[in-house]
DNA sequence: CGATCGATTGAGCCCTCTCAAGAGAGGTGG
DNA sequence: CCACCTCTCTTGAGAGGGCTCAATCGATCG
């Protein structure tokens, strides 16, 4: 088994405040796994055998409802943890994690978590911060869905994706992984038809440039304006 | 300063796995505070000077948007923690906590958190579990808002409130604190008008019984049916 | 007993969904 | 290398759920 390079992970939030020797010890227990595009890291309902750190690529976490509808929970960027079910008291994964690009993850057996946490309590406090900020983000999403129109929500979603995983290209900022209209619909609680119409409109106005599973923000600032504009005068 | 009775808090999730002596030591640093009905425990944006455990009463956590709209984040029941901003890496409270009933909280200075966590690492793992389950609940809410109609969402919300804070009364289960149509609207992402119409309808059908800031579920099972019924055939 | 706050109810509209086709892009196998 | 097939995206037409606007009523409180 090849050793994992410490420098790759030393700066991740999960390992903040760790000494190199500690990091080595922890990494010794991890395996590096390559997940091909469209492969699953884990599936909703499955026994939570491992937890992960994404090293490379992009992963979509999604849940299916009883009625069979899919909702995208979030997109995972390199450096983030995923599948930390045990840490938050779950024995099964609450969502399905799908690689949207060829990806590489570090995997630890879930069984190791309690022992690691006991030995390195910072793991718990660091994870607490991570889960806390995800809670904040999810609350923001609830608030958006409660108070904003579809157009604003979609603009926000694209801006967030661009900030998180944007790549500078000649004519703007491109979202750095394949994403379909359907995916955006499942992130914003709409239908792919509405997203298609919306993006077509924006494209005509020169705000974006889009193709098959590809979106470039040409005028991010204009999108910010759109995202923040209230339907009509609301603020006192 | 009166000593706080250990037995009151020994069973709370936050203190799971603590020895009585440890509990005593932690409680020594807490103050007990009475918050009158409609009083604030803390306000959104304010410096996070303390964190709390609710001992008695009910507290509503809500956020205001830039546009000035309120959204109810959750209702806090006795035994739950609130205001743990520092633990999740925030220096200001992300929401406002209002007592909806005369309430009593235990308060610790936020400054004590890092020291307490270092000495009692279980505080971190216990809080991690709590924050994790709140994250799950918030995800459920996003999913409901994405896939369900208002009627289903409201039914779910009432059932959840009843499960969390229901009191058995002669003709059903009463939600054990004052709650207005407006509050329910802010929990479910609708308007008080829609809620009023909906509840009026349910009342006529004998499902519930309601008055000013008061709701009794007469036929919880019927509400479950309502909550789970898809608008039209959706599941494969 | 007036004033304030919560609840009710009607009318009309509009944003978004549903239903329905069809076109374009990419991948694959012969 | 071409033909086919699948997946993604586009676009139109129509309907409807829930919102907005508006007015009134009832209850609680000082």
């Amino acid at each position: 088994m090849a050793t994992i390079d410490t420098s790759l992970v030393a700066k991740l939030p999960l390992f903040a405040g760790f000494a190199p020797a500690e990091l080595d010890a922890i990494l010794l227990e991890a395996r590096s796994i390559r997940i091909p595009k469209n492969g699953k890291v884990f599936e909703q309902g499955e026994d939570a055998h491992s937890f992960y750190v994404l090293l490379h690529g992009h992963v979509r976490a999604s849940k299916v409802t009883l009625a069979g509808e899919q909702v995208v929970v979030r997109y995972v960027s390199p450096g983030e943890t995923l599948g930390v079910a045990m840490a938050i008291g779950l024995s099964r994964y609450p969502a399905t994690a799908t690689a949207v690009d060829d990806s590489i993850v570090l995997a630890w057996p879930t069984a190791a978590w309690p022992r690691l946490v006991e030995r390195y309590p910072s793991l718990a406090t660091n994870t607490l911060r991570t889960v806390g900020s995800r809670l904040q983000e999810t609350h923001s999403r609830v608030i958006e869905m409660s108070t904003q129109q579809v157009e604003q929500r979609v603009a926000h979603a694209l801006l967030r994706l661009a900030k998180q995983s944007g790549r500078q290209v000649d004519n703007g900022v491109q979202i750095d992984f394949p994403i379909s209209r359907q995916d955006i619909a499942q992130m914003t609680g709409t239908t792919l038809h509405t997203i298609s119409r919306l993006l077509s409109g924006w494209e005509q106005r020169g705000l974006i440039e889009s193709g098959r599973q590809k979106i470039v923000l040409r005028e991010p600032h204009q999108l910010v304006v759109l995202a923040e504009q209230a339907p009509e005068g609301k603020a006192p």
Side-chain angles (χ1 to χ4, degrees), chain A:
Chain A
M1 174 169 121
T3 315
I4 294 152
D5 188 351
T6 309
S7 68
L8 280 175
V9 297
K11 298 211 205 68
L12 305 186
L14 178 61
F15 298 122
F18 278 79
E22 296 174 325
L23 207 44
D24 279 340
I26 295 174
L27 287 176
L28 265 180
E29 306 200 31
R31 291 186 315 128
S32 162
I33 305 177
R34 183 178 165 282
I35 315 278
K37 179 171 173 173
N38 294 325
K40 313 276 193 224
V41 183
F42 51 80
E43 287 195 71
Q44 181 173 353
E46 186 187 355
D47 196 76
H49 47 77
S50 305
F51 64 95
Y52 305 86
V53 165
L54 180 62
L55 285 187
H56 181 82
H58 291 275
V59 169
R60 180 185 58 231
S62 61
K63 297 186 85 156
V64 268
T65 65
L66 296 173
E69 293 149 308
Q70 279 220 8
V71 174
V72 172
V73 172
R74 67 182 179 116
Y75 277 89
V76 183
S77 296
E80 293 189 73
T81 55
L82 65 157
V84 292
M86 145 81 63
I88 60 176
L90 301 174
S91 63
R92 296 170 179 282
Y93 294 117
T96 296
T98 309
V100 295
D101 252 355
D102 286 355
S103 299
I104 297 170
V105 295
L106 283 183
W108 284 261
T110 288
W113 175 260
R115 181 167 42 77
L116 288 173
V117 161
E118 186 164 6
R119 189 151 167 63
Y120 310 104
S122 299
L123 282 179
T125 55
N126 289 342
T127 304
L128 188 45
R129 252 188 291 276
T130 299
V131 174
S133 70
R134 282 185 206 160
L135 180 57
Q136 295 308 309
E137 285 159 21
T138 311
H139 277 152
S140 302
R141 201 163 152 190
V142 167
I143 289 169
E144 281 181 17
M145 297 187 82
S146 297
T147 61
Q148 302 182 337
Q149 310 265 105
V150 167
E151 185 170 37
Q152 278 73 46
R153 302 208 302 264
V154 175
H156 269 130
L158 291 189
L159 288 168
R160 229 175 284 132
L161 288 172
K163 186 175 290 182
Q164 223 196 313
S165 311
R167 188 164 51 88
Q168 197 70 38
V169 294
D170 30 344
N171 37 9
V173 183
Q174 178 164 170
I175 292 170
D176 206 20
F177 51 83
I179 185 166
S180 70
R181 307 289 188 260
Q182 174 84 63
D183 293 325
I184 298 173
Q186 290 173 348
M187 294 182 69
T188 52
T190 12
T191 62
L192 78 158
H193 308 280
T194 298
I195 298 291
S196 182
R197 280 183 243 273
L198 209 44
L199 296 194
S200 293
W202 289 352
E203 182 140 29
Q204 274 171 22
R205 290 160 60 187
L207 297 180
I208 66 168
E209 200 180 302
S210 78
R212 191 189 178 79
Q213 301 201 105
K214 174 197 134 201
I215 299 176
V216 179
L217 310 192
R218 257 176 181 290
E219 302 286 353
H221 186 65
Q222 285 304 309
L223 277 179
V224 172
V225 172
L226 246 180
E228 260 149 30
Q229 112 191 150
E232 215 58 21
K234 287 249 186 169

